[in-house]
Amino acid sequence: MSLKLVIIGGGSSYTPEIIEGIIRRHQSFPVTDIVLVDVKEGKEKLEIVGELSKRMIEKQHLSINLSWTLDRKMALRGADFVSTQIRVGGLAAREKDERIPLRHGFIGQETNGAGGIFKALRTIPVMMELAEDVHSICPEAWIVNFTNPAGIITETLLKHSPHKKVIGVCNIPFNMRQSTAEILNVNPDTVQIEFVGLNHFVFGSKVNVSGKDRTAEVLEKLRQGLDYSPANIVNLGWSKTFIEAVGLLPNPYHQYYFQTKEVLKKDMKAFKENGTRAEVVQQLETSLFNIYRDPDLREKPKQLEERGGAFYSDVACSLMDSIYNNRRDVQTVNTMNNGAIPDLPHDAIIEVNALITGDGPIPIAVGQLPAQVKGMIYEMKAFEELVVRAGLTGNYNDAYTAMLMNPLVREEEGSKLLLDELLEAHKAYLPQFNSRGN
Ligand code: G6P
C-alpha cells in the first residue's frame, strides 16, 4: 500500500527535520513516497535538501522513494498528506516586514504586528491556490499547515477554500510542554497543558502531570525564569505580579503584547547592531546549506536547532501518525472551535488540545475564556478576520483597519504610513491589491 507525503516548500532548511521525523516513525507511519516541491527561485536549495534527504533515508535502509520537483500539480497526484512550510518572497520579504516597521518606531516581527499582517497578505493567495489544487487533485489528502502566520492561514483555508481537511500546527505549545517537563524533571509524555487562545496568542491554563494538577508549581518556575522561548525570541522574564495576577502560562510571543516597550527597545538595538532576525537567519541559512552540501552528511545537523521553528517536525509527524492510525491521542492544533470555547464563534480557528482521530481533530472543550484575557483574545480574533478578508479581496480599507486594530500598531497616522510603504515594498507578491488598482 502506498502512503504519500508531499512537502510544499521542500527546499526549506527545515526539511531535514521532517525527514528525520518520518524516518523515526517509519514502523507506525510507513510512508512510501515523499515528494519535495518548491518554486523555481528555490531550485538550488531544493536539490541540496533533496540529496541530503535521500542520504538520510539510505542510511536507515528504508524503502521510501524520495524525489523533488517544481511541478506542484504533478506532485500532488495520489498524495495522502500535504505539509506546507512556505515563505512567499523568501527571507528578503521577511527583512522588509521587520525593517520597515522598525524604521517607523513599531515592532517589526514576522508573525506579529505589521510584519505579520503582510506575511499573511502575501501568503493567502498562494495557499488558497494550493488548497484548490489539493481539493481537485487529491481530495482525500490532509493539509498540515506550518506556514505562518499559521492561525490566520488555517482560518483562511478552513473557512474560505473548498478543502476542509486542513490542520494548523506550531512548535510553541510543543516547546512549552517539553520545557515544562524538563524543569519538573518528568517524562514529557506525562505532561498535559491545557491551551486556550489563538496561534502565537495562546495561554496555558492548566498543567497536569500524570493526572496531578501542577499549574501553581509551573507558574512559580516561570516567575523564577523558566524559559521555553524558541531560538528567535529572547525571553525577558515575567514579573511576580504578572504571573500571580494573570495566573496563566504566557507563550513566548506574549512579550510583544505585554512588554512592548522593552521588546521594541531590544529589537531596535539588535537592528542597529546585527540587523533584524531575517538577516541573522540569512547567515544561518548560508551556513546550514553549506553543511547540507557535504556528501558525507547523512543526518539532520545539530545546527538546525538554532532556527526558531526547530522541532516542528515532531509536531507535524505525530499529527500525521495519529491521523493515519486513528490514535485518538491529545495534541495541540489549530482547528475550528466547534464550541470548545463557547464565547468565540463556532467557526473561529483556535489553538487548542484536540483528540486526533482518523477523521481529523476533535477539539476538547476548554470552557469560557478566562476573564483576564478574554478581551484581548476577542480583539486578536477580530483582527485576524480583518487580515483574512484583506488577504482574499485586496480591499484597502480592510487592510487599513487590520493595521489600525492591531495592538502593535494602533495609530491612525502610523497605520497608513506602514500600510502604504509595505504595500509598495511587497507589490510583486500582492496580486489581490494590484488588480484593484491600490
Ligand atoms: C518560532 C515560531 C515559528 C517561526 C519561527 C521563526 O518558533 O513558532 O512560527 O516561524 O520560530 O524562526 P526563525 O529561526 O526563522 O527566526
Side-chain angles (χ1 to χ4, degrees):
M1 227 181 74
S2 83
L3 177 54
K4 180 173 176 181
L5 165 66
V6 176
I7 305 178
I8 307 291
S12 156
S13 58
Y14 284 117
T15 298
E17 275 240 0
I18 198 160
I19 301 296
E20 185 194 66
I22 298 293
I23 291 174
R24 239 187 305 130
R25 288 171 180 77
H26 198 248
Q27 286 276 333
S28 59
F29 185 51
V31 171
T32 56
D33 298 86
I34 301 178
V35 187
L36 311 181
V37 181
D38 222 304
V39 290
K40 69 174 185 310
E41 295 80 355
K43 188 164 178 276
E44 196 197 342
K45 282 164 68 179
L46 179 65
E47 283 164 1
I48 298 169
V49 171
E51 297 288 359
L52 169 60
S53 306
K54 252 187 180 322
R55 294 194 298 274
M56 289 172 69
I57 292 169
E58 273 161 21
K59 184 181 173 193
Q60 305 300 327
H61 309 290
L62 295 173
S63 55
I64 301 175
N65 301 310
L66 182 133
S67 59
W68 51 94
T69 178
L70 303 183
D71 188 340
R72 183 171 87 192
K73 287 191 201 275
M74 182 82 118
L76 289 175
R77 288 193 196 157
D80 298 287
F81 289 95
V82 179
S83 83
T84 62
Q85 45 182 39
I86 62 167
R87 187 185 286 288
V88 180
L91 285 167
R94 175 175 176 179
E95 201 181 312
K96 293 178 187 166
D97 286 341
E98 294 172 346
R99 276 178 170 267
I100 294 174
L102 278 174
R103 260 211 328 262
H104 293 291
F106 295 92
I107 284 176
Q109 211 279 330
E110 70 156 349
T111 63
N112 294 265
I117 295 174
F118 270 80
K119 185 163 183 16
L121 298 181
R122 291 194 301 279
T123 311
I124 286 172
V126 180
M127 288 297 289
M128 282 294 283
E129 212 183 292
L130 169 72
E132 278 154 23
D133 281 354
V134 170
H135 199 61
S136 63
I137 300 170
C138 47
E140 291 310 313
W142 282 99
I143 295 181
V144 176
N145 176 56
F146 186 66
T147 299
N148 269 323
I152 295 180
I153 298 303
T154 308
E155 169 124 1
T156 307
L157 300 188
L158 275 174
K159 279 194 182 166
H160 302 281
S161 91
H163 199 69
K164 301 299 171 203
K165 296 176 86 171
V166 181
I167 308 172
V169 289
C170 180
N171 61 342
I172 295 299
F174 174 86
N175 290 358
M176 288 172 73
R177 195 171 138 217
Q178 292 296 112
S179 304
T180 300
E182 235 168 75
I183 204 136
L184 296 178
N185 203 12
V186 295
N187 180 338
D189 292 343
T190 62
V191 179
Q192 278 285 350
I193 303 182
E194 181 182 84
F195 287 100
V196 50
L198 316 176
N199 179 237
H200 286 187
F201 206 84
V202 78
F203 292 90
S205 49
K206 260 183 224 133
V207 182
N208 231 287
V209 181
S210 304
K212 193 170 164 235
D213 187 344
R214 294 183 71 175
T215 318
E217 208 178 321
V218 177
L219 285 172
E220 178 56 23
K221 298 273 185 206
L222 259 174
R223 204 182 61 69
Q224 293 165 4
L226 160 63
D227 178 11
Y228 36 57
S229 306
N232 58 312
I233 293 183
V234 180
N235 181 30
L236 299 174
W238 297 99
S239 69
K240 185 172 185 295
T241 314
F242 178 93
I243 294 294
E244 281 179 6
V246 177
L248 301 165
L249 280 63
N251 87 72
Y253 282 88
H254 279 134
Q255 64 168 228
Y256 292 105
Y257 301 93
F258 301 122
Q259 301 170 334
T260 314
K261 279 189 197 149
E262 253 181 295
V263 172
L264 184 59
K265 212 159 88 198
K266 166 177 73 68
D267 285 1
M268 281 288 194
K269 188 166 174 279
F271 173 49
K272 285 181 190 140
E273 287 168 3
N274 307 310
T276 66
R277 176 73 188 164
E279 289 157 275
V280 173
V281 168
Q282 266 156 9
Q283 287 172 12
L284 251 169
E285 285 245 308
T286 310
S287 63
L288 273 176
F289 275 91
N290 280 335
I291 297 171
Y292 290 0
R293 274 192 189 93
D294 176 358
D296 293 326
L297 179 74
R298 290 147 74 83
E299 60 197 15
K300 179 191 89 175
K302 182 94 183 124
Q303 290 90 330
L304 186 48
E305 288 175 19
E306 289 169 40
R307 293 296 305 276
F311 310 117
Y312 89 92
S313 76
D314 258 311
V315 183
C317 293
S318 335
L319 178 66
M320 294 189 282
D321 182 353
S322 290
I323 294 174
Y324 178 75
N325 291 296
N326 186 26
R327 273 195 210 289
R328 305 182 75 83
D329 57 345
V330 177
Q331 298 188 25
T332 313
V333 292
N334 284 262
T335 191
M336 215 170 251
N337 178 17
N338 282 332
I341 300 178
D343 11 9
L344 283 178
H346 225 70
D347 63 352
I349 303 311
I350 59 171
E351 194 158 89
V352 67
N353 287 342
L355 215 58
I356 309 299
T357 77
D359 295 322
I362 304 174
I364 298 172
V366 182
Q368 297 205 315
L369 290 169
Q372 63 276 36
V373 293
K374 190 185 206 160
M376 276 204 87
I377 292 177
Y378 278 155
E379 184 175 40
M380 291 305 284
K381 181 43 76 186
F383 150 76
E384 289 189 357
E385 285 168 2
L386 288 168
V387 178
V388 173
R389 241 161 58 185
L392 290 170
T393 62
N395 182 290
Y396 184 91
N397 289 345
D398 284 338
Y400 174 77
T401 46
M403 197 63 92
L404 189 67
M405 292 307 150
N406 187 279
L408 303 184
V409 186
R410 186 151 310 163
E411 207 187 76
E412 185 189 349
E413 222 185 290
S415 297
K416 176 143 174 63
L417 197 77
L418 287 180
L419 180 60
D420 291 344
E421 203 168 321
L422 283 158
L423 276 174
E424 181 59 28
H426 291 303
K427 69 170 180 253
Y429 300 103
L430 298 170
Q432 72 278 48
F433 286 88
N434 300 336
S435 62
R436 298 178 63 91
N438 289 313

